[in-house]
């Protein structure tokens, strides 16, 4: 538990550095492109358009009853794109910054969290776009349920911090782990209810209950239920407890591994 407290202190105490490094990396990534940082906002919108055209017709019956499929799909794919990008970027954040790790004295634990900040711009862009689609195509109107987005956003960030510190450390200890993680994330894309609603009578109840244990599903479904005013998060008490147990587990294990091997990162890389 002491390691978790230390990790959280390092995150909060270095927020300024994290934001500065994030801005620098964003500019560095897009400096050779004509549109520059515009791609950070344009890319997620292109992705939404592609998935809508490819899956919009064939899977539109997979959405919740009475809900426009495009509105349903976009609000779910928004947190997924963010979580997928952050998860994969964070897993290689320490490995890629070996030069910075060896030459600069600052907490290495903030490197995965920098990836969270770097991807926030595209997340906010997609969320606003999702709300606009909901207004004009889905007939969605603001409701008190929307306040839950604050909770689900916080839950998403905490999950990404915990999962990020775990993945970034294990990726150094086990070189094949990043390849495995990429494959797992591809599989979870279809098992997190992003493109179709598996909470229907078409799927066996036991199968549905297993898929609902997925932390990524918890966040995706939470954003949807908030958008369409379907339920409060405390009405899913069992899933909420399981989700936070996942967060605590990866935070404890990830923090322990990180501080145990941090002094050997440069040698291991």
């Amino acid at each position: 538990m002491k390691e978790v407290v230390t990790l959280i202190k390092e995150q909060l105490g270095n927020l300024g550095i994290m934001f500065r490094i994030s801005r620098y990396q964003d500019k560095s990534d897009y400096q050779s492109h004509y549109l520059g940082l515009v791609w950070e906002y344009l890319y997620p919108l292109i992705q939404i358009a592609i998935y809508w055209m490819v899956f919009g017709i064939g899977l539109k019956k997979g959405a919740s009853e009475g809900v426009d499929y495009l509105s349903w799909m976009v609000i779910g794919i928004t947190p997924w794109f963010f979580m997928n990008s952050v998860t994969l970027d964070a897993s290689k954040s320490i490995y890629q910054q070996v030069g910075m790790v060896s030459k600069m004295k600052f907490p290495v634990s903030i490197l995965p969290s920098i990836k969270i900040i770097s991807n926030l711009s595209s997340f906010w862009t997609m969320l606003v776009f999702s709300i606009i689609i909901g207004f004009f195509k889905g007939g969605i109107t603001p409701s008190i349920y929307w306040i839950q987005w604050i909770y689900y956003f916080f839950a998403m960030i905490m999950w990404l911090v915990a999962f990020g510190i775990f993945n970034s450390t294990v990726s150094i200890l086990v070189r094949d782990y990043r390849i495995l993680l990429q494959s797992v994330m591809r599989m979870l894309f279809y098992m997190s209810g992003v493109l179709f609603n598996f909470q229907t009578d078409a799927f066996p109840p036991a199968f549905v209950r297993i898929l609902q244990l997925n932390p990524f599903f918890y966040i995706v479904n939470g954003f949807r239920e908030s958008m369409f005013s379907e339920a409060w998060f405390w009405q899913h008490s069992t899933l909420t407890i399981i989700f936070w147990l996942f967060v605590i587990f990866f935070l404890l294990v990830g923090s322990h591994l990180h501080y145990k091997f941090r002094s050997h990162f440069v040698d291991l890389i």
Side-chain angles (χ1 to χ4, degrees), residues 3-256:
E3 294 162 331
V4 173
V5 174
T6 302
L7 178 73
I8 294 175
K9 285 182 178 179
E10 288 183 349
Q11 306 299 306
L12 297 178
N14 292 275
L15 280 175
I17 295 176
M18 290 161 61
F19 276 96
R20 287 195 295 272
I21 294 177
S22 173
R23 286 196 297 269
Y24 169 78
Q25 289 183 346
D26 288 341
K27 292 179 180 178
S28 176
D29 290 341
Y30 294 101
Q31 65 179 354
S32 61
H33 298 74
Y34 289 113
L35 295 180
L37 288 174
V38 173
W39 281 111
E40 192 168 330
Y41 303 94
L42 187 60
Y43 178 74
L45 301 183
I46 294 174
Q47 292 297 302
I48 288 177
I50 292 173
Y51 280 106
W52 174 46
M53 288 187 291
V54 173
F55 297 99
I57 298 177
L59 294 177
K60 65 168 54 180
K61 293 183 179 179
S64 299
E65 185 176 352
V67 175
D68 172 69
Y69 177 76
L70 179 61
S71 303
W72 182 90
M73 184 270 290
V74 169
I75 191 60
I77 212 169
T78 293
W80 168 260
F81 272 153
F82 176 67
M83 290 188 289
N84 181 65
S85 295
V86 170
T87 298
L88 296 178
D89 289 349
S91 69
K92 55 188 177 183
S93 58
I94 298 177
Y95 180 85
Q96 287 182 330
Q97 300 295 337
V98 60
M100 186 183 297
V101 170
S102 61
K103 296 177 182 178
M104 297 179 63
K105 289 188 176 181
F106 70 93
V108 182
S109 65
I110 70 174
L111 291 176
S113 299
I114 289 173
K115 299 302 181 180
I116 298 177
I117 297 173
S118 297
N119 285 277
L120 277 176
S121 298
S122 58
F123 171 75
W124 296 126
T125 301
M126 292 181 69
L127 184 61
V128 171
F129 190 65
S130 301
I131 295 173
I132 293 174
I133 289 179
F135 279 150
F136 292 100
K137 188 166 178 59
I140 306 300
T141 56
S143 72
I144 188 64
Y145 286 88
W146 286 21
I147 198 172
Q148 288 189 122
W149 279 339
I150 299 174
Y151 163 74
Y152 282 111
F153 179 76
F154 173 75
M156 179 172 65
I157 296 301
M158 290 303 299
W159 165 244
L160 292 174
V161 169
F163 203 39
I165 197 68
F166 174 85
N167 290 330
S168 62
T169 303
V170 176
S171 293
I172 294 176
L173 302 178
V174 183
R175 292 297 179 89
D176 294 337
Y177 180 76
R178 282 190 293 120
I179 299 175
L180 173 64
L181 182 63
Q182 290 174 353
S183 300
V184 170
M185 292 303 293
R186 291 192 191 100
M187 179 179 65
L188 287 176
F189 176 69
Y190 297 100
M191 298 178 64
S192 301
V194 178
L195 295 179
F196 63 92
N197 182 16
F198 55 73
Q199 300 183 96
T200 63
D201 296 335
F203 295 90
F207 177 72
V208 173
R209 284 193 291 270
I210 292 174
L211 293 182
Q212 287 176 333
L213 301 179
N214 172 8
F216 292 97
F217 165 80
Y218 180 80
I219 299 299
V220 169
N221 190 61
F223 270 81
R224 280 195 178 124
E225 289 193 337
S226 302
M227 177 76 161
F228 301 117
S229 309
E230 294 180 355
W232 294 103
F233 72 87
W234 56 78
Q235 292 178 253
H236 305 299
S237 56
T238 302
L239 293 180
T240 298
I241 292 172
I242 292 173
F243 170 82
W244 285 106
L245 286 176
F246 268 111
V247 173
I248 293 171
F249 171 79
F250 280 102
L251 195 57
L252 287 171
V253 175
S255 299
H256 175 69

